[in-house]
Amino acid sequence: MPAASADHTAYVPQALARVRADSPLVQCLTNSVVTGFTANVLLALGASPAMVDIPEEAGPFARVASGVLINLGTPHAEQRSAMVEAARAAGSAGTPWVLDPVAVGALPVRTALARELLQLRPTVIRGNASEIIALAGAGDGGRGVDSSDGVGAAEESARELARAAGCVVAVSGPVDFVTDGGAQRPDRQR
């Protein structure tokens, strides 16, 4: 990787080349609304998507996958069980996994599921500002999947969540905020 800079777009060509060279197998336990889109984006990038999201298969597959995505967008009962199974297996196998806590804080079933998954130590948490604030225990969530908070309002919650979970937290918005929980860089521009 090139030396760290404020312009992280310099990493994109190298990252894309690496994905295409490695063709990672990505297990997706995801929102039924975006399953096809997620698969097509992964294919376009050169990855190999696998929508393995049922109990008794999710865990064994997570052990052999290159990475796992767990998106709480439409979690029916069987899929919720598979999500926990996959996260446990990914953790024990050292497989990196991403938690996307869709509508956390606003809805009780997925909020409880997100808190359970959080205990299984995701590698990355990616959510909108309201989701990150709620997952950190500092708010009640947004309006379903819509954030009622700006990215800036979630920065401290994101740092605290990253430190507590030992992971990277990405807050999506017009300008994303990504943290590993470390102190804010003094040269950061607002």
PDB file of all heavy atoms in Angstrom, residues 156-174:
ATOM      1  N   GLU A 156     -18.167  10.251  17.632  1.00  0.00           N
ATOM      2  CA  GLU A 156     -17.721   9.765  18.952  1.00  0.00           C
ATOM      3  C   GLU A 156     -18.311   8.393  19.260  1.00  0.00           C
ATOM      4  O   GLU A 156     -17.628   7.519  19.792  1.00  0.00           O
ATOM      5  CB  GLU A 156     -18.045  10.762  20.062  1.00  0.00           C
ATOM      6  CG  GLU A 156     -17.407  10.392  21.385  1.00  0.00           C
ATOM      7  CD  GLU A 156     -15.889  10.138  21.315  1.00  0.00           C
ATOM      8  OE1 GLU A 156     -15.168  10.826  20.564  1.00  0.00           O
ATOM      9  OE2 GLU A 156     -15.405   9.219  22.015  1.00  0.00           O
ATOM     10  N   SER A 157     -19.578   8.175  18.908  1.00  0.00           N
ATOM     11  CA  SER A 157     -20.187   6.844  19.097  1.00  0.00           C
ATOM     12  C   SER A 157     -19.440   5.796  18.283  1.00  0.00           C
ATOM     13  O   SER A 157     -19.228   4.671  18.747  1.00  0.00           O
ATOM     14  CB  SER A 157     -21.663   6.864  18.690  1.00  0.00           C
ATOM     15  OG  SER A 157     -22.419   7.634  19.598  1.00  0.00           O
ATOM     16  N   ALA A 158     -19.045   6.161  17.072  1.00  0.00           N
ATOM     17  CA  ALA A 158     -18.298   5.228  16.223  1.00  0.00           C
ATOM     18  C   ALA A 158     -16.959   4.879  16.855  1.00  0.00           C
ATOM     19  O   ALA A 158     -16.552   3.708  16.871  1.00  0.00           O
ATOM     20  CB  ALA A 158     -18.097   5.819  14.832  1.00  0.00           C
ATOM     21  N   ARG A 159     -16.270   5.869  17.381  1.00  0.00           N
ATOM     22  CA  ARG A 159     -14.977   5.609  18.050  1.00  0.00           C
ATOM     23  C   ARG A 159     -15.168   4.688  19.253  1.00  0.00           C
ATOM     24  O   ARG A 159     -14.418   3.737  19.455  1.00  0.00           O
ATOM     25  CB  ARG A 159     -14.326   6.918  18.490  1.00  0.00           C
ATOM     26  CG  ARG A 159     -13.643   7.671  17.393  1.00  0.00           C
ATOM     27  CD  ARG A 159     -12.836   8.853  17.977  1.00  0.00           C
ATOM     28  NE  ARG A 159     -12.617   9.827  16.944  1.00  0.00           N
ATOM     29  CZ  ARG A 159     -13.423  10.850  16.665  1.00  0.00           C
ATOM     30  NH1 ARG A 159     -14.502  11.078  17.363  1.00  0.00           N
ATOM     31  NH2 ARG A 159     -13.135  11.670  15.691  1.00  0.00           N
ATOM     32  N   GLU A 160     -16.165   5.003  20.081  1.00  0.00           N
ATOM     33  CA  GLU A 160     -16.428   4.183  21.267  1.00  0.00           C
ATOM     34  C   GLU A 160     -16.801   2.755  20.876  1.00  0.00           C
ATOM     35  O   GLU A 160     -16.327   1.793  21.481  1.00  0.00           O
ATOM     36  CB  GLU A 160     -17.535   4.816  22.100  1.00  0.00           C
ATOM     37  CG  GLU A 160     -17.116   6.097  22.781  1.00  0.00           C
ATOM     38  CD  GLU A 160     -18.265   6.800  23.492  1.00  0.00           C
ATOM     39  OE1 GLU A 160     -19.325   6.173  23.711  1.00  0.00           O
ATOM     40  OE2 GLU A 160     -18.105   7.985  23.821  1.00  0.00           O
ATOM     41  N   LEU A 161     -17.635   2.615  19.862  1.00  0.00           N
ATOM     42  CA  LEU A 161     -18.047   1.289  19.396  1.00  0.00           C
ATOM     43  C   LEU A 161     -16.855   0.512  18.847  1.00  0.00           C
ATOM     44  O   LEU A 161     -16.683  -0.671  19.140  1.00  0.00           O
ATOM     45  CB  LEU A 161     -19.137   1.448  18.322  1.00  0.00           C
ATOM     46  CG  LEU A 161     -19.808   0.194  17.798  1.00  0.00           C
ATOM     47  CD1 LEU A 161     -20.441  -0.612  18.915  1.00  0.00           C
ATOM     48  CD2 LEU A 161     -20.859   0.576  16.754  1.00  0.00           C
ATOM     49  N   ALA A 162     -16.008   1.177  18.097  1.00  0.00           N
ATOM     50  CA  ALA A 162     -14.810   0.521  17.553  1.00  0.00           C
ATOM     51  C   ALA A 162     -13.889   0.035  18.669  1.00  0.00           C
ATOM     52  O   ALA A 162     -13.371  -1.076  18.617  1.00  0.00           O
ATOM     53  CB  ALA A 162     -14.068   1.482  16.620  1.00  0.00           C
ATOM     54  N   ARG A 163     -13.700   0.873  19.678  1.00  0.00           N
ATOM     55  CA  ARG A 163     -12.847   0.467  20.811  1.00  0.00           C
ATOM     56  C   ARG A 163     -13.472  -0.699  21.566  1.00  0.00           C
ATOM     57  O   ARG A 163     -12.795  -1.670  21.903  1.00  0.00           O
ATOM     58  CB  ARG A 163     -12.619   1.651  21.753  1.00  0.00           C
ATOM     59  CG  ARG A 163     -11.625   2.673  21.213  1.00  0.00           C
ATOM     60  CD  ARG A 163     -11.243   3.714  22.261  1.00  0.00           C
ATOM     61  NE  ARG A 163     -12.332   4.590  22.644  1.00  0.00           N
ATOM     62  CZ  ARG A 163     -12.603   5.766  22.085  1.00  0.00           C
ATOM     63  NH1 ARG A 163     -11.865   6.215  21.094  1.00  0.00           N
ATOM     64  NH2 ARG A 163     -13.603   6.503  22.508  1.00  0.00           N
ATOM     65  N   ALA A 164     -14.766  -0.625  21.833  1.00  0.00           N
ATOM     66  CA  ALA A 164     -15.452  -1.668  22.604  1.00  0.00           C
ATOM     67  C   ALA A 164     -15.484  -3.000  21.859  1.00  0.00           C
ATOM     68  O   ALA A 164     -15.317  -4.056  22.462  1.00  0.00           O
ATOM     69  CB  ALA A 164     -16.875  -1.221  22.951  1.00  0.00           C
ATOM     70  N   ALA A 165     -15.699  -2.946  20.552  1.00  0.00           N
ATOM     71  CA  ALA A 165     -15.816  -4.175  19.755  1.00  0.00           C
ATOM     72  C   ALA A 165     -14.477  -4.629  19.174  1.00  0.00           C
ATOM     73  O   ALA A 165     -14.387  -5.723  18.622  1.00  0.00           O
ATOM     74  CB  ALA A 165     -16.830  -3.972  18.630  1.00  0.00           C
ATOM     75  N   GLY A 166     -13.465  -3.777  19.257  1.00  0.00           N
ATOM     76  CA  GLY A 166     -12.162  -4.133  18.693  1.00  0.00           C
ATOM     77  C   GLY A 166     -12.214  -4.276  17.186  1.00  0.00           C
ATOM     78  O   GLY A 166     -11.658  -5.209  16.620  1.00  0.00           O
ATOM     79  N   CYS A 167     -12.899  -3.342  16.532  1.00  0.00           N
ATOM     80  CA  CYS A 167     -13.075  -3.444  15.090  1.00  0.00           C
ATOM     81  C   CYS A 167     -12.998  -2.070  14.440  1.00  0.00           C
ATOM     82  O   CYS A 167     -12.773  -1.066  15.099  1.00  0.00           O
ATOM     83  CB  CYS A 167     -14.424  -4.094  14.774  1.00  0.00           C
ATOM     84  SG  CYS A 167     -15.861  -3.080  15.186  1.00  0.00           S
ATOM     85  N   VAL A 168     -13.218  -2.044  13.153  1.00  0.00           N
ATOM     86  CA  VAL A 168     -13.327  -0.800  12.396  1.00  0.00           C
ATOM     87  C   VAL A 168     -14.814  -0.487  12.254  1.00  0.00           C
ATOM     88  O   VAL A 168     -15.623  -1.385  12.031  1.00  0.00           O
ATOM     89  CB  VAL A 168     -12.673  -0.950  11.002  1.00  0.00           C
ATOM     90  CG1 VAL A 168     -12.984   0.238  10.104  1.00  0.00           C
ATOM     91  CG2 VAL A 168     -11.175  -1.154  11.150  1.00  0.00           C
ATOM     92  N   VAL A 169     -15.160   0.779  12.405  1.00  0.00           N
ATOM     93  CA  VAL A 169     -16.545   1.216  12.231  1.00  0.00           C
ATOM     94  C   VAL A 169     -16.583   2.246  11.109  1.00  0.00           C
ATOM     95  O   VAL A 169     -15.810   3.204  11.118  1.00  0.00           O
ATOM     96  CB  VAL A 169     -17.125   1.816  13.530  1.00  0.00           C
ATOM     97  CG1 VAL A 169     -18.523   2.377  13.296  1.00  0.00           C
ATOM     98  CG2 VAL A 169     -17.159   0.762  14.637  1.00  0.00           C
ATOM     99  N   ALA A 170     -17.476   2.024  10.158  1.00  0.00           N
ATOM    100  CA  ALA A 170     -17.669   2.946   9.042  1.00  0.00           C
ATOM    101  C   ALA A 170     -19.077   3.527   9.136  1.00  0.00           C
ATOM    102  O   ALA A 170     -20.056   2.781   9.157  1.00  0.00           O
ATOM    103  CB  ALA A 170     -17.493   2.223   7.715  1.00  0.00           C
ATOM    104  N   VAL A 171     -19.145   4.847   9.204  1.00  0.00           N
ATOM    105  CA  VAL A 171     -20.426   5.557   9.235  1.00  0.00           C
ATOM    106  C   VAL A 171     -20.647   6.106   7.835  1.00  0.00           C
ATOM    107  O   VAL A 171     -19.861   6.922   7.348  1.00  0.00           O
ATOM    108  CB  VAL A 171     -20.411   6.713  10.262  1.00  0.00           C
ATOM    109  CG1 VAL A 171     -21.780   7.376  10.328  1.00  0.00           C
ATOM    110  CG2 VAL A 171     -19.973   6.223  11.635  1.00  0.00           C
ATOM    111  N   SER A 172     -21.717   5.660   7.185  1.00  0.00           N
ATOM    112  CA  SER A 172     -21.966   6.102   5.815  1.00  0.00           C
ATOM    113  C   SER A 172     -22.798   7.378   5.795  1.00  0.00           C
ATOM    114  O   SER A 172     -23.627   7.611   6.665  1.00  0.00           O
ATOM    115  CB  SER A 172     -22.664   4.996   5.017  1.00  0.00           C
ATOM    116  OG  SER A 172     -23.910   4.690   5.616  1.00  0.00           O
ATOM    117  N   GLY A 173     -22.529   8.181   4.801  1.00  0.00           N
ATOM    118  CA  GLY A 173     -23.254   9.435   4.626  1.00  0.00           C
ATOM    119  C   GLY A 173     -22.670  10.175   3.451  1.00  0.00           C
ATOM    120  O   GLY A 173     -21.907   9.597   2.667  1.00  0.00           O
ATOM    121  N   PRO A 174     -22.991  11.447   3.289  1.00  0.00           N
ATOM    122  CA  PRO A 174     -22.439  12.218   2.171  1.00  0.00           C
ATOM    123  C   PRO A 174     -20.907  12.170   2.153  1.00  0.00           C
ATOM    124  O   PRO A 174     -20.290  12.095   1.105  1.00  0.00           O
ATOM    125  CB  PRO A 174     -22.949  13.636   2.426  1.00  0.00           C
ATOM    126  CG  PRO A 174     -24.179  13.453   3.244  1.00  0.00           C
ATOM    127  CD  PRO A 174     -23.928  12.233   4.094  1.00  0.00           C
TER     128      PRO A 174
END
